[in-house]
Amino acid sequence: MLSWFGPGAARANLRAPIMVPKPPSSALLPAGDKLAVAREELRLTCGPELCRVEATYHLDVSAALEVELEFVLPTPSPITVLVGGAPTPSQAVKAALPVPAGAEPERGPGPPWGDTYRARFRVSLAQGAAVLKVSYDQPLSAYETDYGYFKDGRFVHHLDYELWPLKEWRRLPGFRIDLTVSLPREPPGAWARTFGDPFAFRCVGDDRPGKDAQGGYLPGRRVFLPEPAQQGGLLVLRARLDRAGDFTDGLTCFFADSDLLPELPGGD
């Protein structure tokens, strides 16, 4: 009987953490040489279970054209597409792969995502500058941590967004992504700031492992974006991602009690 209570039995009986994976969504996939992108405004308005994604692309059109565009998202929920402020019909189509075969750079094996969807829409664009805005809701992934026999676990929620398709576009000089992430949160009191771990978020960029032009191995890297700041009843992050090094293949934002968030370099 004593052995039944031993540490080996306790470890064997410990349940697995709860995982709730959701596929990432992506930036607009490239669509030919007649279109160039000058900048993107990416706004993520987040809550407990999902983020409202609003991606606004400022395009340069070298000649008038009609083109079919598409992007990837993890849900068939309705999307809104505006060109110059006018709505455009769009259709979400179930897809076996999140991107066309061969279009994704080699970044190593990915997690076992569920179904992904391609949203396709046809637009007519006049020569010159054009503004295209795509909006949709993206559910958050979650994983359980800090759990055990005698206490409930806590969850880290996260949103994954693929930026690498923008690297496949023809980009104008000075290209940048203006990123805004916001989360409703009342300012924590002095006690919570000193002795507690207020709910917060942190966003990081990632370049996955890959190969250079000569076939050599390129290690992955992680870029930490600025910490968010309290603005009234919102916690807000603003960052500019450009060619200088913080425009990465992917973006992930983690939402959790602050002690569960990824540590900044040099942190304790």
Side-chain angles (χ1 to χ4, degrees):
M1 288 295 292
L2 289 177
S3 62
W4 189 86
F5 292 99
R11 284 196 297 270
N13 290 327
L14 189 63
R15 66 171 174 79
I18 298 170
M19 310 289 288
V20 185
K22 297 290 183 182
S25 58
S26 83
L28 197 66
L29 298 177
D33 295 335
K34 292 184 178 180
L35 286 179
V37 58
R39 64 186 175 96
E40 179 191 0
E41 299 167 35
L42 179 58
R43 180 180 294 273
L44 308 176
T45 305
C46 298
E49 298 181 355
L50 58 82
C51 291
R52 181 67 175 174
V53 178
E54 296 176 296
T56 303
Y57 301 92
H58 295 259
L59 304 175
D60 179 78
V61 187
S62 60
L65 78 163
E66 184 173 299
V67 63
E68 185 175 81
L69 299 172
E70 70 175 60
F71 69 99
V72 175
L73 66 162
T75 172
S77 62
I79 66 169
T80 300
V81 180
L82 301 177
V83 178
T88 298
S90 61
Q91 182 180 14
V93 181
K94 188 173 181 179
L97 296 173
V99 293
E104 183 177 1
E106 292 188 37
R107 296 176 297 166
W113 301 122
D115 291 338
T116 58
Y117 298 82
R118 284 180 181 152
R120 295 186 175 97
F121 46 93
R122 183 171 293 274
V123 296
S124 296
L125 300 172
Q127 183 177 8
V131 178
L132 185 149
K133 181 178 180 180
V134 179
S135 306
Y136 58 93
D137 292 330
Q138 178 168 342
L140 300 180
S141 299
Y143 62 89
E144 187 183 21
T145 187
D146 192 30
Y147 65 95
Y149 278 110
F150 304 108
K151 63 177 179 179
D152 294 333
R154 294 187 290 166
F155 282 87
V156 177
H157 293 81
H158 59 96
L159 173 140
D160 297 289
Y161 189 87
E162 301 289 350
L163 297 171
W164 66 262
L166 287 172
K167 296 184 177 182
E168 306 294 324
W169 279 76
R170 183 166 65 89
R171 302 189 305 277
L172 296 185
F175 167 82
R176 69 182 191 270
I177 301 171
D178 293 318
L179 173 67
T180 303
V181 186
S182 62
L183 174 74
R185 190 191 76 170
E186 291 302 317
W191 177 271
R193 293 195 306 269
T194 304
F195 301 104
D197 298 299
F199 196 82
F201 71 88
R202 184 163 293 153
C203 296
V204 300
D206 282 293
D207 279 327
R208 281 73 167 194
K211 294 182 179 180
D212 59 23
Q214 291 73 41
Y217 176 75
L218 292 175
R221 72 180 177 120
R222 169 164 283 192
V223 176
F224 283 84
L225 301 185
E227 289 197 77
Q230 189 76 41
Q231 297 182 6
L234 294 174
L235 194 60
V236 181
L237 177 152
R238 288 188 173 87
R240 175 168 292 183
L241 315 181
D242 55 29
R243 299 170 185 257
D246 49 9
F247 173 26
T248 53
D249 289 339
L251 170 73
T252 301
C253 293
F254 299 91
F255 304 85
D257 295 335
S258 55
D259 64 315
L260 300 180
L261 294 174
E263 286 190 359
L264 291 169
D268 296 331

